[in-house]
Amino acid sequence: MRGIRRALAVRVISVISTETGLGKSFCMNSDEKTITGAQCRAARALLDWSREDLAAASKVSRAAIADFEQAKRQVRERTVDDLQAALESAGIAFIPGGAEGAGVRLKDPQA
């Protein structure tokens, strides 16, 4: 049941974040290559990673990850870059926002 709730929550948050732009507004000096908090949460869900797993892979504190994902405070651009790099190294591909909105998917293992 928790997995279903998590998947639904990620989808709802992703739609809200995409439509309102909330995710980007909480990253200093963001640009089109910057991920949102909703994308970070969705990527962790695809990998079945906890915040602790992401913290270990990215060398970013769990508190900073939580704050970024929940849009509680601004985080440094370098922090977001470190999170994105760790998730991409683990097999995540980020889909930039456009007409259909931003997204997250697993990279093709054949590529």
Side-chain angles (χ1 to χ4, degrees), residues 40 44 49-59 65 83 86-87:
C40 187
R44 283 194 308 104
W49 275 14
S50 66
R51 285 190 181 130
E52 291 78 14
D53 296 328
L54 181 54
S58 65
K59 308 296 187 233
I65 294 168
L83 294 172
L87 292 164

Side-chain angles (χ1 to χ4, degrees), residues 70-93:
Q70 297 170 6
K72 286 187 175 180
R73 66 174 174 90
Q74 289 186 336
V75 295
R76 290 189 169 102
E77 184 176 2
R78 175 59 192 247
T79 299
V80 178
D81 291 345
D82 290 344
L83 294 172
Q84 184 171 350
L87 292 164
E88 288 175 341
S89 293
I92 293 293

Side-chain angles (χ1 to χ4, degrees), residues 6-58:
R6 177 187 249 181
L8 289 173
V10 167
R11 178 66 185 135
V12 169
I13 291 168
S14 180
V15 170
I16 291 169
S17 180
T18 299
E19 291 178 1
T20 63
L22 288 176
K24 286 191 177 186
S25 68
F26 284 85
C27 174
M28 289 192 261
N29 301 319
S30 65
D31 59 25
E32 288 302 314
K33 295 181 182 177
T34 300
I35 64 171
T36 66
Q39 284 178 300
C40 187
R41 276 192 313 278
R44 283 194 308 104
L46 282 173
L47 295 171
D48 196 27
W49 275 14
S50 66
R51 285 190 181 130
E52 291 78 14
D53 296 328
L54 181 54
S58 65

Side-chain angles (χ1 to χ4, degrees), residues 105-111:
R105 68 175 179 81
L106 292 171
K107 291 179 185 174
D108 181 1
Q110 305 294 327

